[in-house]
Amino acid sequence: MKKAAFFLALTLFLASFFPAYAAKKNSEPVVTAEPIPEPTANPDAAPYDPEHPDELEPDQLWAASAVLMTQDKGEVIFEKDPDSIRYPASMTKIMTVWLGIMFVEDLNETVIVSETAAAVPEDSSTMHLKAGEEIRFIDVLYGTMLVSANDGANVIAEVVSGDIPRFVDLMNTTALNLGCLNTHFMNPHGYHDDNHYSTARDMAIIAREAMKNETFREIARTISYQVPRTNMQRARTLTTKSDYMLPGSEEEPNKYYYEYATGIKTGSHSQSGWCFCGAASKDGVDLISVVMFTGKRNRWNDTVKLMNYGFSQYQSVTVADLYNMNPITIETSNYSTSDTNRGKVKLLCKPLEGSATIVATKADVKRMADNLTDLVFIQYDRDFQAPIEAGEQIGTMTYFPEKGDPVVYALTAARSVEQRTNVPKSLDEIVAETYADPNPFPPFNFEFALTLFAPLVVLGVVIFLIRRARKNRRAHKLRPPKPVNRYVK
């Protein structure tokens, strides 16, 4: 609790520097009486083909705003007017529940429902909490998510921050710190207020951050939850309002159910239209989607379209598949002049033990194949001189996954390459032949003798000539001079 209190104090301190994002102190938001018309499909849009989800176009969604984002990197892979200001309604509770998990140390502690928390507008969705009721905090978290309980959201706010206005300040500061510059909250539950707004992109960012938390993910994917008996109510079962997550029964299957669904939160009121923030996982790919201002049933259809589009953009490949998209070709030396490929050999790749699978977008798969050396370590076992036999191992390729042990692949020659005739022996061949010869001395013959003694004869002649020249020079210096005739006149 001390740690949570410290972060709360720090967050509120930061909030003082952003007055434009401070929450309005209004505990009784007003609902506009006249509902806005439900959105309609674009009559000029091409018909949606569920057999080709990768061809989805923005106009094929009923939602006025939509975004599809990867959970791991936060990369947006589809969008439709994602930055327009709209009302998030009960999707607001994603932020509320997440903050409740982050700032309360003991989620199993018992909390007391205050009169302020229980006092919500009559048309609110609730978990029917009563003032003075003693209930576990974890039960409030589940109830707030599953049945979109406004009273539960108020309880979370008061437990975390002491009162609702200060919690709203925390919500706005947290949104700002996440980079959600087009979001402003007025309450912890999303009941309509003209100054309570967000965007599809911002809500996806908040949901993605919340889904990083294991406890939140568990709550988000829960369909049914048993609330134990309290001091004022008997035990009861809460069931999610999301048709997207309910499989139905064999007799009455739910046509809106999505088998890859993992959460998370609905939203609706007279001014927001129908909204939904969804999550789904398939083959190692985790996606977050948000649709805002769409139809009651079309929010499920829109979400499924987005998810199927997202999964269609991914493919699962092995490291060997990536290699085969751009295999290594080596150039050998000393190859036969009859080799039609001029000594070039493609190297085949096969795992020595185990295998590794990578799931990525089609664009990322191509990028990784083109730059495979950024992912693997290649080491060659021999030089590239002929002869080379088909299937001979030339080297190894090692892939180091983020989790797990390295995977080693053998790089083998796809064909044989013969050595050309009369090729000079390499130093290794000469050394090998020398060690293989049982006679330590080479056989004697005239050529060997000439090769061995000719340099000595030449050296002796040179020494003889040098000495003779020196002797002649000394003799010339010791000879007396010839007499010279002199005449005197």
Side-chain angles (χ1 to χ4, degrees), residues 182-252:
N182 295 315
T183 294
H184 185 261
F185 297 115
M186 294 297 294
N187 55 63
H189 39 65
Y191 198 80
H192 180 67
D193 186 292
D194 288 342
N195 291 318
H196 188 105
Y197 54 80
S198 187
T199 67
R201 188 190 306 276
D202 283 1
M203 289 308 304
I205 291 172
I206 293 170
R208 173 177 175 260
E209 199 67 28
M211 289 292 281
K212 293 179 181 179
N213 182 275
E214 183 177 355
T215 301
F216 185 93
R217 290 197 306 272
E218 179 62 32
I219 296 174
R221 64 172 172 256
T222 299
I223 297 174
S224 180
Y225 182 78
Q226 182 76 18
V227 178
R229 177 180 179 142
T230 69
N231 64 323
M232 301 183 98
Q233 297 192 65
R234 67 181 64 181
R236 55 200 186 277
T237 301
L238 305 179
T239 303
T240 181
K241 292 185 174 182
S242 174
D243 287 347
Y244 170 77
M245 298 172 60
L246 293 171
S249 62
E250 293 184 3
E251 296 78 14
E252 297 183 8

Side-chain angles (χ1 to χ4, degrees), residues 366-426:
K366 184 180 184 305
R367 177 186 56 79
M368 288 187 289
D370 293 340
N371 301 276
L372 188 61
T373 53
D374 295 340
L375 295 177
V376 301
F377 173 72
I378 296 175
Q379 186 174 20
Y380 294 105
D381 300 334
R382 53 156 294 175
D383 57 35
F384 297 161
Q385 290 187 349
I388 291 177
E389 298 293 331
E392 180 181 354
Q393 182 169 314
I394 305 301
T396 57
M397 182 179 74
T398 306
Y399 171 68
F400 299 90
E402 293 183 3
K403 298 180 180 179
D405 298 327
V407 181
V408 182
Y409 299 80
L411 299 178
T412 59
R415 68 181 187 92
S416 298
V417 180
E418 296 181 358
Q419 188 181 55
R420 76 172 184 263
T421 58
N422 300 325
V423 64
K425 293 181 180 179
S426 67

Side-chain angles (χ1 to χ4, degrees), residues 7-316:
F7 283 111
L8 176 59
L10 177 61
T11 305
L12 294 176
F13 172 77
L14 292 173
S16 64
F17 291 95
F18 304 99
Y21 290 87
K24 181 181 176 182
K25 307 301 186 291
N26 183 358
S27 59
E28 295 184 0
V30 178
V31 179
T32 303
E34 293 295 330
I36 53 179
E38 190 170 291
T40 58
N42 186 343
D44 298 326
Y48 176 74
D49 184 0
E51 298 298 323
H52 296 89
D54 57 311
E55 298 177 357
L56 178 66
E57 299 176 2
D59 285 345
Q60 292 172 336
L61 296 177
W62 290 74
S65 292
V67 71
L68 180 66
M69 180 182 294
T70 61
Q71 287 192 36
D72 57 349
K73 299 179 181 179
E75 177 185 2
V76 174
I77 55 180
F78 192 93
E79 61 182 33
K80 177 184 178 180
D81 196 18
D83 297 312
S84 288
I85 300 295
R86 302 191 186 279
Y87 301 120
S90 287
M91 290 193 300
T92 301
K93 297 181 177 79
I94 296 172
M95 171 73 85
T96 300
V97 172
W98 174 50
L99 290 178
I101 295 170
M102 297 299 293
F103 280 85
V104 176
E105 186 173 347
D106 182 8
L107 300 183
N108 289 307
E109 72 171 304
T110 298
V111 298
I112 301 175
V113 180
S114 71
E115 292 186 3
T116 303
V120 294
E122 293 182 358
D123 57 347
S124 294
S125 54
T126 71
M127 57 185 297
H128 305 293
L129 296 176
K130 299 179 180 180
E133 184 173 359
E134 298 177 3
I135 185 171
R136 296 185 309 169
F137 188 71
I138 188 68
D139 300 331
V140 177
L141 294 174
Y142 273 93
T144 302
M145 283 291 288
L146 268 65
V147 298
S148 197
N150 287 10
D151 49 359
N154 284 344
V155 171
I156 295 171
E158 292 184 345
V159 171
V160 171
S161 300
D163 59 45
I164 293 174
R166 279 190 291 182
F167 183 78
V168 174
D169 287 341
L170 175 62
M171 294 172 69
N172 285 313
T173 303
T174 303
L176 181 63
N177 290 339
L178 293 177
C180 301
L181 303 181
N182 295 315
T183 294
H184 185 261
F185 297 115
M186 294 297 294
N187 55 63
H189 39 65
Y191 198 80
H192 180 67
D193 186 292
D194 288 342
N195 291 318
H196 188 105
Y197 54 80
S198 187
T199 67
R201 188 190 306 276
D202 283 1
M203 289 308 304
I205 291 172
I206 293 170
R208 173 177 175 260
E209 199 67 28
M211 289 292 281
K212 293 179 181 179
N213 182 275
E214 183 177 355
T215 301
F216 185 93
R217 290 197 306 272
E218 179 62 32
I219 296 174
R221 64 172 172 256
T222 299
I223 297 174
S224 180
Y225 182 78
Q226 182 76 18
V227 178
R229 177 180 179 142
T230 69
N231 64 323
M232 301 183 98
Q233 297 192 65
R234 67 181 64 181
R236 55 200 186 277
T237 301
L238 305 179
T239 303
T240 181
K241 292 185 174 182
S242 174
D243 287 347
Y244 170 77
M245 298 172 60
L246 293 171
S249 62
E250 293 184 3
E251 296 78 14
E252 297 183 8
N254 175 20
K255 65 179 181 179
Y256 302 109
Y257 171 66
Y258 191 59
E259 60 180 319
Y260 305 112
T262 58
I264 51 182
K265 190 68 192 74
T266 58
S268 66
H269 60 59
S270 60
Q271 296 300 297
S272 70
W274 300 89
C275 310
F276 184 62
C277 177
S281 298
K282 178 183 178 183
D283 297 332
V285 177
D286 302 315
L287 301 176
I288 292 283
S289 69
V290 174
V291 292
M292 300 183 74
F293 194 63
T294 183
K296 182 176 183 179
R297 301 302 179 189
N298 287 324
R299 55 179 166 175
W300 315 130
N301 294 327
D302 285 349
T303 299
V304 171
K305 288 178 182 179
L306 287 170
M307 294 302 184
N308 287 338
Y309 172 85
F311 292 133
S312 73
Q313 302 304 301
Y314 281 81
Q315 62 183 112
S316 177

